[in-house]
Amino acid sequence: MNKLDLAQFLRHRREARRPAEVGLRVSGRRRTPGLRREEVAWLAGVSTNYYERLEQARAPRPSTQVLAALAKALRLTEAESEHLARLAGQAPPVRDEQVPDGVLRLLDRLGPVPAYVVDERYDVVAWNALAANLIADFSALPPEDRNVLRMSMSSDRCSSPNDEFARQAAADLRRAAARHPDDARLAQLTSEYADFNAGFAASWTDHEVQPRPTLRKHIDHPDLGTLELEAQILQSPSSPHRLIFLTAEPGTPTHETLTQHHQPPPNPERRTSRDFD
């Protein structure tokens, strides 16, 4: 159980929730942003003293029933509720280093769409030829450098990461840190990226954990020029891996460029990190 992260997560979610959102009627001015502690306690059916101790990182591990009541009181999403349970030590860690065969088959069948697979640390663990041509030659990189965050700190193809990406990365790594609190490499990566990107650091501090299925991506390609893409994110149902494929809206210059220069090959090429490590 991570008492400090649990306390901070509850406080940030409480301060972000407005009384009207949980069915409370208030009058006059309020000095406290969001909900008060006693209001959350009342909504969850626990004592105010116990809830205060939770936010002070002094309470014992809450039961499954208490966690469910708090999630309902704070109107947490499914992802936030799962994160709350993991912080409280009520959900086992999950890490499967092998990319499921179904995800690899899908990667092969995307045709002319650039796509790659990342794990919980944002390590690129599988990719097709178009992704390698568009983003980087992953096979030429050392395994520790095949990481989306590390590449964004050094690549000359990508513009400065936007706030949308920073929030998504912070949410993803927050959930991963809750699942694997002893992962030193994940902690180091988080610290380095927080120093590099202020938006990531702010979102990390706010304990955001809500995933976003679609992100915008800007790539400056040496041959194809500036590309404006949508990164569609598909979560594997059987593992922590995510398939990310890059598309452009039909009729846009980027779509025309990709169509012209990236015709589907007769034999789609797919590579995984295991082919090179």
Side-chain angles (χ1 to χ4, degrees):
M1 175 179 171
N2 191 326
K3 288 188 175 183
L4 180 59
D5 279 354
L6 176 65
Q8 292 175 345
F9 180 69
L10 286 172
R11 179 171 59 83
H12 280 281
R13 295 286 75 77
R14 173 177 61 81
E15 292 177 351
R17 190 66 63 212
R18 297 294 177 262
E21 295 176 316
V22 298
L24 295 179
R25 293 184 179 180
V26 297
S27 59
R29 300 180 62 182
R30 294 166 61 94
R31 296 173 55 188
T32 304
L35 298 175
R36 297 188 175 110
R37 291 188 179 93
E38 58 267 25
E39 291 171 337
V40 175
W42 180 77
L43 289 168
V46 299
S47 72
T48 300
N49 177 263
Y50 175 71
Y51 182 77
E52 287 177 346
R53 286 188 291 133
L54 278 175
E55 283 203 8
Q56 294 166 354
R58 296 191 300 111
R61 175 183 295 178
S63 67
T64 302
Q65 292 78 9
V66 168
L67 291 174
L70 289 172
K72 183 178 180 181
L74 292 168
R75 300 296 194 269
L76 299 186
T77 65
E78 181 178 352
E80 290 170 336
S81 297
E82 178 186 348
H83 184 68
L84 177 67
R86 292 192 183 281
L87 291 178
Q90 296 287 6
V94 176
R95 174 167 285 167
D96 185 352
E97 301 293 349
Q98 298 296 318
V99 183
D101 289 339
V103 173
L104 295 178
R105 287 194 296 270
L106 180 57
L107 189 65
D108 284 339
R109 296 169 184 173
L110 288 174
V113 177
Y116 55 95
V117 179
V118 298
D119 64 11
E120 291 180 289
R121 301 187 192 99
Y122 271 53
D123 289 334
V124 179
V125 294
W127 59 90
N128 62 14
L130 293 179
N133 290 338
L134 199 63
I135 302 172
D137 183 2
F138 299 112
S139 63
L141 296 174
E144 62 272 16
D145 290 339
R146 294 180 204 143
N147 180 276
V148 175
L149 301 185
R150 292 197 187 283
M151 292 174 65
S152 73
M153 289 188 280
S154 60
S155 175
D156 58 359
R157 292 194 183 185
C158 297
S159 65
S160 298
N162 57 40
D163 290 341
E164 189 179 48
F165 173 80
R167 290 195 300 271
Q168 177 65 78
D172 290 337
L173 294 188
R174 263 292 178 195
R175 294 196 304 274
R179 288 189 287 265
H180 311 287
D182 299 323
D183 190 328
R185 183 164 168 262
L186 178 61
Q188 180 182 0
L189 177 65
T190 300
S191 177
E192 290 178 4
Y193 203 67
D195 290 339
F196 171 77
N197 188 293
F200 175 90
S203 293
W204 179 265
T205 300
D206 287 342
H207 288 254
E208 294 187 19
V209 295
Q210 186 63 23
R212 295 168 177 82
T214 304
L215 300 172
R216 292 184 297 274
K217 192 173 185 69
H218 174 101
I219 294 179
D220 291 321
H221 194 277
D223 298 321
L224 304 181
T226 299
L227 303 174
E228 300 292 343
L229 300 157
E230 278 192 349
Q232 306 286 339
I233 303 170
L234 180 63
Q235 177 69 54
S236 169
S238 59
S239 80
H241 296 94
R242 282 160 288 168
L243 174 63
I244 300 173
F245 49 100
L246 306 175
T247 63
E249 185 178 352
T252 62
T254 296
H255 183 267
E256 294 176 2
T257 299
L258 292 180
T259 301
Q260 179 181 356
H261 292 274
H262 290 279
Q263 296 299 325
N267 295 306
E269 180 184 1
R270 174 253 295 171
R271 293 288 185 266
T272 72
S273 59
R274 296 192 296 276
D275 296 329
F276 302 96
D277 299 348

